[in-house]
Amino acid sequence: MKKILSLILFSSLVLSLSAQNFVTTVPLDKNAILEEFTGVSCPNCPAGHQVAATILANNPGRAFCVAYHPSNSSYTSPYPGEPDFRRTYPNAFYTVPYCGSSRFMPSAFINRREWTNGERIQSRTEWTPYCNTIMSEPSPANMGLWTSYDILSQTLYITVEIYYTEDMPDENHVYVLLSENDLISTQSGASGPYTHKHTFREAFVEQWGDAVPGPTTQGSLVTLDYEWDVSGSGYVMSNCEVLAFIENQSDGEIITGIGVHVGDATYIEPTAGFSADLNNIGIGGTVTFTDESTGYPTAWEWTFEGGDPASSTLQSPPPVTYAEAGLYGVTLVVTNPAGNSTLTISDFINVGNVGIAEAIYEKPYTLYPNPCREKLHIIANASQLPEQVRIRNAGGQVVMTMGSGTKGPDQIDLSSLEKGIYFVEIIAGGSKIMEKVVKQ
């Protein structure tokens, strides 16, 4: 078998402070990560498999398992003519004193915590209560996960998101692992062919994980992207899972983790957002709309008041034509497996007021910086100065209004607003433009 590192084609760690797509920012409790040590020649291991299966079934989305077959154990040697599940990567974990005072099968780490008398390795009778203990503790970080498999290029794509809900001053390491289900072999302690679940296949990180690129402070979002060439592996990707978790280097404990089947993701509720290439047009003019929603929607419903077409279910709708003068609103409803979000902006498209519209075509205002933490500056690129500015939230409601109607502000203090997506509506000379801003 090739070395693990030679299997990794690409692994980029990118720090991002923009909106997250797969991880919630709401503080959560820890998830339980059960790292099981098992072997085909272990007569008591089927009983351990059943305990792990029960934990996962009783705690969907909260407990996750990977089953290691380390090669430094006689229990993992395959029977003649049978598949070989052994890997060298878990050997470093299945050692004394890292396990504790001994090692045995079936056994498992529960979030790599050192439990009674400093023993990290635990027998199957302790797995359930220790998992319950972990899942009752608040977590300083949340994790999200997205996976996709391109069958034509035989490439697996993985995105891991980590959002810190508390400051973590210690160094954190991230682990990203691949396991496979429904592997058949002879198993001691079982009758007939035996089906193995969550069998460890590959690690996309170094032996003891990769350092999380900072900061690991409250409110920080870290995004990590991986690619892996599946060709030649022999794995059935529809049976595979990806497991990601982070470890605190000061005590060696796993903070929390997340897992999905290949092709799935940990969706969060989307937030609808959109923009238009023009907000002011002449009669018979067309507008192109762009979806700027977050949270990876899987369905879109556009409604274009006064437009042709009047609606669309495409992420990128066709250009919309407006035949009559007036002010028209636009609505976008986006949906994914976690929920839906609606954004309606009234009077978004101004049709027929061509005198002032000609100046607006050139986008006479620049908003800086964007994303913004506190002060948002409005830089006028033309002679028309803002008269009034409104801030709308992602739901379209006005949350802030500035300006007397004759003279508007040249900067806005957003420090009182929650983090998220907002729309800045600039009114000038009877017309207006709308720009999206991300508040960090």
Side-chain angles (χ1 to χ4, degrees):
M1 177 180 175
K2 294 182 288 184
K3 292 183 179 179
I4 292 297
L5 291 180
S6 69
L7 295 172
I8 303 174
L9 292 185
F10 172 76
S11 176
S12 69
L13 308 180
V14 182
L15 176 66
S16 172
L17 292 175
S18 60
Q20 78 286 357
N21 288 305
F22 307 107
V23 62
T24 181
T25 60
V26 177
L28 301 175
D29 288 339
K30 296 176 181 178
N31 289 336
I33 306 299
L34 191 151
E35 296 175 278
E36 181 183 10
F37 297 100
T38 187
V40 295
S41 298
C42 166
N44 293 322
C45 281
H49 301 160
Q50 185 57 53
V51 173
T54 300
I55 292 172
L56 301 190
N58 290 340
N59 300 279
R62 296 295 317 285
F64 304 92
C65 177
V66 58
Y68 296 129
H69 292 248
S71 64
N72 58 346
S73 169
S74 60
Y75 286 133
T76 60
S77 298
Y79 290 98
E82 298 279 340
D84 190 350
F85 303 145
R86 292 176 298 179
R87 294 293 186 268
T88 59
Y89 180 81
N91 290 359
F93 311 136
Y94 194 61
T95 58
V96 175
Y98 186 74
C99 288
S101 61
S102 64
R103 62 177 200 169
F104 52 90
M105 292 184 182
S107 59
F109 300 154
I110 310 299
N111 287 58
R112 297 190 182 177
R113 176 171 293 179
E114 294 183 5
W115 297 88
T116 305
N117 298 324
E119 298 291 319
R120 185 174 276 114
I121 201 166
Q122 297 296 322
S123 65
R124 64 183 185 274
T125 58
E126 304 295 341
W127 299 355
T128 298
Y130 286 161
C131 281
N132 291 338
T133 296
I134 290 291
M135 291 185 290
S136 67
E137 298 175 352
S139 177
N142 300 330
M143 297 190 72
L145 188 58
W146 171 88
T147 63
S148 179
Y149 175 57
D150 186 334
I151 193 171
L152 295 179
S153 65
Q154 297 188 64
T155 303
L156 173 64
Y157 299 93
I158 303 169
T159 294
V160 178
E161 290 184 343
I162 307 169
Y163 182 84
Y164 286 90
T165 56
E166 298 178 14
D167 290 344
M168 287 292 295
D170 301 319
E171 182 176 320
N172 290 179
H173 282 194
V174 64
Y175 291 75
V176 184
L177 312 178
L178 181 74
S179 64
E180 189 174 5
N181 291 310
D182 300 338
L183 297 172
I184 309 299
S185 77
T186 299
Q187 173 67 52
S188 177
S191 59
Y194 188 81
T195 302
H196 292 263
K197 301 285 188 179
H198 318 294
T199 304
F200 171 77
R201 290 313 217 176
E202 308 291 349
F204 304 127
V205 296
E206 297 286 349
Q207 179 67 60
W208 296 99
D210 292 336
V212 173
T216 57
T217 53
Q218 184 178 12
S220 296
L221 173 67
V222 180
T223 302
L224 307 96
D225 296 304
Y226 302 85
E227 290 182 20
W228 184 61
D229 184 356
V230 178
S231 61
S233 69
Y235 305 150
V236 178
M237 296 308 294
S238 59
N239 292 340
C240 288
E241 301 169 330
V242 174
L243 175 65
F245 51 86
I246 47 177
E247 181 185 59
N248 187 347
Q249 292 304 287
S250 67
D251 57 16
E253 280 196 22
I254 292 173
I255 299 168
T256 193
I258 197 73
V260 298
H261 282 85
V262 166
D264 289 342
T266 55
Y267 289 101
I268 61 174
E269 288 192 15
T271 299
F274 58 82
S275 63
D277 64 335
L278 298 172
N279 295 98
N280 298 267
I281 60 173
I283 295 173
T286 61
V287 178
T288 299
F289 293 90
T290 301
D291 171 47
E292 295 184 348
S293 305
T294 61
Y296 276 67
T298 55
W300 297 261
E301 295 181 29
W302 297 84
T303 301
F304 307 108
E305 181 186 4
D308 181 20
S311 63
S312 175
T313 57
L314 300 176
Q315 180 180 14
S316 299
V320 179
T321 302
Y322 292 86
E324 298 183 8
L327 294 172
Y328 299 104
V330 176
T331 297
L332 173 61
V333 181
V334 292
T335 304
N336 70 17
N340 59 71
S341 173
T342 301
L343 173 62
T344 298
I345 303 180
S346 302
D347 302 338
F348 189 56
I349 303 299
N350 179 15
V351 181
N353 193 0
V354 295
I356 296 175
E358 290 171 353
I360 303 296
Y361 286 159
E362 301 303 321
K363 295 284 187 184
Y365 305 105
T366 299
L367 303 181
Y368 178 83
N370 188 11
C372 175
R373 290 184 181 273
E374 294 183 358
K375 302 291 186 181
L376 178 68
H377 298 274
I378 302 176
I379 301 172
N381 300 326
S383 59
Q384 183 68 59
L385 298 176
E387 296 171 3
Q388 192 174 58
V389 176
R390 299 189 186 111
I391 308 296
R392 297 178 182 268
N393 62 19
Q397 291 82 26
V398 176
V399 295
M400 190 181 296
T401 300
M402 292 138 290
S404 61
T406 58
K407 182 181 180 181
D410 58 8
Q411 71 174 19
I412 308 168
D413 187 353
L414 301 181
S415 60
S416 63
L417 299 179
E418 298 289 334
K419 297 177 183 179
I421 294 175
Y422 294 89
F423 294 89
V424 178
E425 184 179 34
I426 302 175
I427 301 169
S431 296
K432 59 186 173 182
I433 64 170
M434 194 86 68
E435 294 287 345
K436 186 181 80 167
V437 169
V438 176
K439 168 65 169 59
Q440 293 179 343

